[in-house]
Structure formats: C-alpha cells, structure tokens
Amino acid sequence: MRHDVKEEAYFQLAEEKGATFIRLNAGCGTFISEEWIVTAAHVASVPQIGEDVKVNGRSFAIKQILIHPEYQDGRSIQHDIALILLSEKVEGQEYAQLYTLSDEVGKDIVFVGTGYAGTGDKGLAGKVNKDRKLRAAQNRIEGTRQDGFIRFKFDSPDSPEALPLEGISGHGDSGGPA
C-alpha cells in the first residue's frame, strides 16, 4: 500500500470491491458461481486448505478440489489454478465474471485479499501486518503475455502514474479476486 494514504481507505475499497472474495484457510479464493470457487493451485494443494470454508460465519464443506492437471508444485507458476466445489450452494453471494476480451493493457484493476500487508516505502520488512483483515488496492495493467499472465508494478506516490490507492498483492493474497 502507499505509505502516504491512511490504511482505512484500503479497508473501504475492500468493502466496495470485495463481494466475490472468500478467505480460505491457506489463502484466498474468488466465487464464480453458487458452489464454485476459483483459486491458485498452490493454495488448494496444501493440507491447510482444510475440509470446509466459512461464509458469513457458516461452514460449507468442500466436496471436491480440481487442480489443473499440468500444475507442478514449486517448479513454475504455469497452470497455477484450481477449482473448489462446495457440497452445497451459497445463496446471495456475488460472483466474478470471466473477462473474455484481450484489451487489458492500460485498464485499472483492484486486488482484494487478506494476506500480509506492508507499505511501499518499507515493504514487508517494515510494519508487517498479519491481521488477515480484508484490504483492496488499485493498480494498472502494464502488459500481458501470450500464456495469460498480466504485468503490473507498484508506482511510488510521487509518480504521475500512481493511483490514489496504489498497491499490489502480497503473500497470502493468492487466489483472490483481481
């Protein structure tokens, strides 16, 4: 996050933009339907993922975890995607929509997560926050790759490219909505 902006602004953005977010025991996830969550394979493949997820204080059992068949843990971030099927539908949840266009470059994006939080001037070596509170940050997509990855960077507050709530995702945010 920016060091020159009050942290409360990042909490407020998360409240506005975090409707599809779900905190998992081992990272984050994104609701894509009433019973499906998309996340990172490195989140879904660890024992800490547990046997259920909590939504609004209620537990929903995990029925199945589908990890991309070409994912190779620890070797690459290629195919680092997984789906979690819940045993029952979660009513009243908002769902992320698949973006099917290829015009991402130059568009603003919002990251949502409960991972480690730090500031741009000190990073995680400074005031590391491990409170697992939901935060969101803005960024701009600078490029894409043929294999589906997007590229972005943290812009210093004195940069003309810096957004009002400039930030990037951190450890523990994997699988969350962007």
Side-chain angles (χ1 to χ4, degrees):
M1 301 175 290
R2 292 174 60 147
H3 67 277
D4 64 336
V5 174
K6 291 186 187 257
E7 190 174 28
E8 289 75 25
Y10 290 91
F11 293 138
Q12 179 63 36
L13 183 62
E15 213 172 284
E16 295 169 13
K17 301 290 185 178
T20 64
F21 171 85
I22 178 72
R23 185 171 70 189
L24 303 173
N25 292 327
C28 301
T30 306
F31 272 101
I32 57 173
S33 78
E34 292 177 317
E35 56 195 346
W36 286 100
I37 297 167
V38 65
T39 189
H42 74 268
V43 169
S45 63
V46 297
Q48 295 88 339
I49 192 71
E51 297 178 3
D52 63 359
V53 300
K54 288 190 179 23
V55 181
N56 299 322
R58 183 171 168 220
S59 292
F60 291 83
I62 295 175
K63 182 176 182 179
Q64 186 176 16
I65 297 176
L66 302 170
I67 295 174
H68 193 288
E70 295 179 45
Y71 173 68
Q72 296 179 347
D73 189 24
R75 295 190 176 181
S76 151
I77 58 173
Q78 292 286 75
H79 312 295
D80 188 8
I81 191 165
L83 293 169
I84 297 173
L85 175 62
L86 302 178
S87 62
E88 59 183 297
K89 295 180 179 182
V90 178
E91 302 293 331
Q93 184 65 42
E94 287 190 39
Y95 314 108
Q97 301 297 309
L98 181 64
Y99 191 77
T100 60
L101 302 178
S102 57
D103 62 348
E104 299 90 349
V105 176
K107 291 193 183 298
D108 290 352
I109 191 169
V110 175
F111 298 97
V112 181
T114 55
Y116 288 33
T119 56
D121 62 339
K122 297 185 178 157
L124 292 179
K127 181 185 172 192
V128 177
N129 198 326
K130 302 176 189 177
D131 60 12
R132 297 189 79 184
K133 289 183 179 178
L134 187 63
R135 293 172 177 80
Q138 303 168 319
N139 210 297
R140 185 164 292 125
I141 298 173
E142 295 197 345
T144 59
R145 294 187 347 193
Q146 291 282 344
D147 55 7
F149 285 91
I150 60 172
R151 188 176 64 248
F152 53 90
K153 68 178 174 44
F154 183 84
D155 291 308
S156 171
D158 58 356
S159 167
E161 284 85 34
L163 296 171
L165 295 175
E166 184 81 18
I168 57 174
S169 52
H171 299 292
D173 290 332
S174 294

